[in-house]
Amino acid sequence: MFATILLNALWVGLLGGILASLVRIGWQQVFKSEQTTKVEALSLGGGIFVDFGKGIEILISIFLSIFFVVWANYDSSITQGSGTLWGLLVWAVVEQGVKGLLRQRPFFWHLPWQSTIVEIIGYLFWGWAIYLVAIGFPISGVYF
C-alpha cells in the first residue's frame, strides 16, 4: 500500500514541485527589490544562463511536494486552506527556521515588511499550486 502511494506521489510531486517553484519564483520576480544580489550562474552561450540557486530551490520544492502528497494521503488536515497552510508552514520552518538559524538570511523582523509580505504570499501561492496539481491527478490520492 505504501509503495503505491509513494510511487504515485513521486510523479505527482515532481510535476507539482516544478510548477509550484516556478509560480513562487515568478511571483517574487515581479516584486524585485533594489537589494537583489547578483548570483553565480553558468553561461550556456547566447545570453542563456543557468542559475544553480534556483535549481536547488526547484529540487527542494519537488521534495516538499512529494512529502505533501504522501502526508495528505494519510492525514488530510494538511490540505486545509487548499494547500496554503502547507505553504505557510514551509515558509515558517524552512525560510525562517532553517535558513535563519544557519545565517543564510536574516529573520523576517530584520527585513522590510513589504519583502516579507511578498515572500509569504509567494509561499501561499506555492502551496496552493501543489494542492491544485495533486487534486488534478486523482491517482495522487489527494481529494477536496
Side-chain angles (χ1 to χ4, degrees), residues 91-127:
W91 174 79
V93 171
V94 173
E95 285 293 318
Q96 296 305 306
V98 174
K99 287 186 177 182
L101 292 174
L102 294 176
R103 299 188 193 279
Q104 291 180 346
R105 56 169 292 135
F107 289 106
F108 72 93
W109 56 82
H110 295 293
L111 296 171
W113 66 270
Q114 296 92 339
S115 67
T116 301
I117 296 297
V118 167
E119 191 173 301
I120 290 172
I121 292 173
Y123 273 94
L124 294 178
F125 282 148
W126 175 82

Side-chain angles (χ1 to χ4, degrees), residues 16 19 68 82-83 125-137 144:
L19 177 69
F68 172 79
S82 300
F125 282 148
W126 175 82
W128 187 43
I130 292 173
Y131 175 76
L132 290 177
V133 169
I135 64 170
F137 290 102
F144 295 102

Side-chain angles (χ1 to χ4, degrees), residues 31-49:
F31 300 100
K32 279 187 169 181
S33 67
E34 296 174 7
Q35 301 166 350
T36 305
T37 60
K38 292 186 177 183
V39 296
E40 294 290 326
L42 174 67
S43 174
L44 297 178
I48 307 285
F49 293 92

Side-chain angles (χ1 to χ4, degrees), residues 77-98:
S77 65
I78 193 61
T79 62
Q80 296 291 323
S82 300
T84 57
L85 175 65
W86 174 245
L88 190 63
L89 181 69
V90 168
W91 174 79
V93 171
V94 173
E95 285 293 318
Q96 296 305 306
V98 174

